[in-house]
Amino acid sequence: MDPKNAARKRIAVIPGDGIGKEVIPQAVKAIQATGAAVELTDFDWGADRYLRDQTTVPPDGFATLARDFNAILVGAFGDPRVKTNIHAKEILLGMRFKMDLYANVRPVRLLDAALCPLKGVEPKDVDFVVLRENTEGAYTDAGGVFKQGTADEIATQEDINTRKGVERIIRYAFEYCRMHTKLDGSPRGKVLMSDKSNAMTHAGGLWQRVFKEVSAEYPAITAQHMYVDALCMQMVRDPRQFDVIVTNNMFGDIITDLAAGLQGGLGMAVSGNIHPGKTSMFEPVHGSAPPIAGKNEANPFGAILTAAMMLRHLEFTQEADRIEAAVLEAVRQKKTTRDIGGSVGTREAGEWIVGRLSS
Ligand code: NAD
Ligand code: IPM
Ligand code: MN
């Protein structure tokens, strides 16, 4: 029988490095506490494994994930002992590129006004999503180094934008807008494409043309454009104006750390790496945070809310709702780690969520 059609949905769990190894166990406990019909399988991919046996992704690793699992839950990759970051590139970018998970869906939500550094901003004012192109752009590794280490050294990093890649993420944005409501139940209605087409005219020209074409197919949705530098300013000046934002790989990376700031910091931000119909991967937006790793300080809520996003994707809607409600209550009761104003540790915050889900 196809393992993906088993009675229990199969989830691959890859905690990775640093605080990934602390926050993912909390997310796993939360999933288990909901009673969702899932089977979780651990994978040891990450810096420790790489340093032990030089394996980043085992042979057939991605094929196994795609064939045998319904979803993948990932922590973070990055370890000071691996200076080249080769394992992160091969595992994380490998999953995104080789499994063709072209839509990096990064919802931006404020759970409590106390978490937002902006004055007068309420949860209803921060409810947008960034859809980041996830398989090309400046991340393809096209380019190279010539005369390395000499005074004449040349480094090039190509920004690859394909018609297919640009079109499918822009279309995904319009479909997302059409299919999703805001948290208050009102319809979404705006797609904003952000680029730097005033300076990067070749790539920007393609994005502009495709956006114009695809937006014409969705007359009920307002199509907007903003240069990415101006977008950064607007995001901190007035986040209320945003609804669905679509952008390239690198700009999407940068603006979602900025957007995490609106939510209370990187410890709160969630993401899904999605290709409709394929095994998709879910990860908190934050990295491995080496300075706080192993100290029971990391905020597990980004990982726990990411688990909820994954469960929702797998159609465990009630379980996802319950996890989100538990995290909201923890934030309200300040049963949180220090980064968002509480005083408990990673494990204690996770245990509070489990207690809430079990009651
Ligand atoms: P980072 O996200 O690890 O940390 C940035 C800042 O946010 C630090 O001050 C950190 O302490 C804080 N922070 C992050 N997550 C937190 C949490 N859950 N709770 C409390 N505070 C949190 O980014 P960085 O420092 O730029 O990168 C560290 C390593 O992680 C690097 O190797 C980088 O390449 C890697 N990284 C990996 C991913 C990923 O695997 N998805 C994402 C980003 C960075
Ligand atoms: C992220 C990270 C990654 C990215 C790094 C670790 C390559 O910052 O997932 O946001 O740039 O995509
Ligand atoms: Mn990032």
Side-chain angles (χ1 to χ4, degrees):
M1 194 183 78
D2 181 352
K4 289 165 82 171
N5 290 333
R8 292 180 167 269
K9 295 263 198 266
R10 304 195 68 215
I11 298 171
V13 179
I14 316 180
D17 306 332
I19 65 168
K21 289 192 283 195
E22 296 174 84
V23 298
I24 290 300
Q26 306 311 319
V28 164
K29 285 194 318 201
I31 294 169
Q32 287 166 336
T34 65
V38 295
E39 185 186 315
L40 300 146
T41 306
D42 280 326
F43 285 72
D44 66 353
W45 303 0
D48 289 340
R49 167 92 186 258
Y50 174 67
L51 290 168
R52 201 166 61 237
D53 67 10
Q54 276 74 59
T55 304
T56 55
V57 179
D60 296 329
F62 295 135
T64 304
L65 292 177
R67 187 186 60 233
D68 294 348
F69 292 89
N70 300 92
I72 309 161
L73 180 64
V74 161
F77 301 95
D79 186 303
R81 295 170 299 170
V82 186
K83 300 269 180 270
T84 57
N85 211 28
I86 179 74
H87 69 299
K89 205 162 143 186
E90 293 193 358
I91 300 169
L92 183 70
L93 299 185
M95 269 187 280
R96 293 177 184 168
F97 282 56
K98 294 191 174 153
M99 299 178 76
D100 202 28
L101 306 177
Y102 68 87
N104 193 330
V105 180
R106 298 189 156 184
V108 183
R109 288 173 188 161
L110 175 63
L111 295 189
D112 191 294
L115 300 191
C116 189
L118 305 182
K119 42 178 198 297
V121 170
E122 303 285 330
K124 66 172 171 34
D125 301 326
V126 181
D127 179 10
F128 62 93
V129 62
V130 176
L131 301 172
R132 165 188 180 191
E133 201 295 319
N134 214 24
T135 56
E136 48 187 54
Y139 277 60
T140 63
D141 221 16
V145 185
F146 185 47
K147 298 186 181 175
Q148 191 170 359
T150 74
D152 297 325
E153 180 162 349
I154 299 165
T156 62
Q157 196 87 47
E158 298 285 344
D159 182 10
I160 307 290
N161 295 263
T162 68
R163 168 81 205 193
K164 172 184 158 189
V166 174
E167 185 174 337
R168 68 181 178 175
I169 189 66
I170 288 177
R171 196 172 291 284
Y172 190 96
F174 280 94
E175 284 298 315
Y176 188 100
C177 188
R178 194 169 70 78
M179 308 285 287
H180 290 78
T181 58
K182 295 189 179 178
L183 288 176
D184 66 8
S186 64
R188 293 200 175 274
K190 290 189 289 191
V191 176
L192 183 151
M193 190 275 277
S194 191
D195 63 16
K196 193 63 195 165
S197 53
N198 47 355
M200 303 169 78
T201 52
H202 311 308
L206 176 63
W207 278 77
Q208 291 280 345
R209 277 182 280 116
V210 174
F211 187 63
K212 201 169 166 207
E213 277 175 41
V214 176
S215 64
E217 296 173 30
Y218 296 86
I221 296 175
T222 304
Q224 302 175 316
H225 172 262
M226 205 177 273
Y227 295 123
V228 70
D229 46 355
L231 173 80
C232 290
M233 183 276 293
Q234 291 292 347
M235 208 181 266
V236 293
R237 202 189 62 80
D238 181 17
R240 295 169 192 86
Q241 66 189 288
F242 297 111
D243 190 346
V244 177
I245 297 173
V246 61
T247 191
N248 72 18
N249 206 339
M250 187 154 81
F251 297 150
D253 176 47
I254 295 168
I255 66 172
T256 51
D257 265 35
L258 181 63
L262 299 174
Q263 300 170 266
L266 277 162
M268 297 301 289
V270 310
S271 81
N273 299 261
I274 293 171
H275 184 134
K278 292 196 183 190
T279 301
S280 294
M281 184 267 278
F282 297 81
E283 48 166 348
V285 173
H286 65 72
S288 56
I292 62 166
K295 296 182 175 165
N296 197 36
E297 281 177 27
N299 184 347
F301 290 172
I304 293 173
L305 291 168
T306 294
M309 183 183 188
M310 178 182 72
L311 289 178
R312 196 174 296 290
H313 179 82
L314 295 174
E315 295 178 359
F316 292 110
T317 310
Q318 284 179 4
E319 290 84 347
D321 287 346
R322 289 182 60 222
I323 291 179
E324 287 174 356
V327 172
L328 179 60
E329 195 51 36
V331 168
R332 286 189 177 145
Q333 293 192 29
K334 285 211 172 357
K335 305 290 183 198
T336 67
T337 45
R338 286 198 181 82
D339 55 304
I340 53 167
S343 58
V344 307
T346 309
R347 282 190 298 277
E348 293 71 25
E351 278 155 18
W352 194 90
I353 299 296
V354 169
R356 184 93 190 168
L357 290 168
S358 313
S359 63

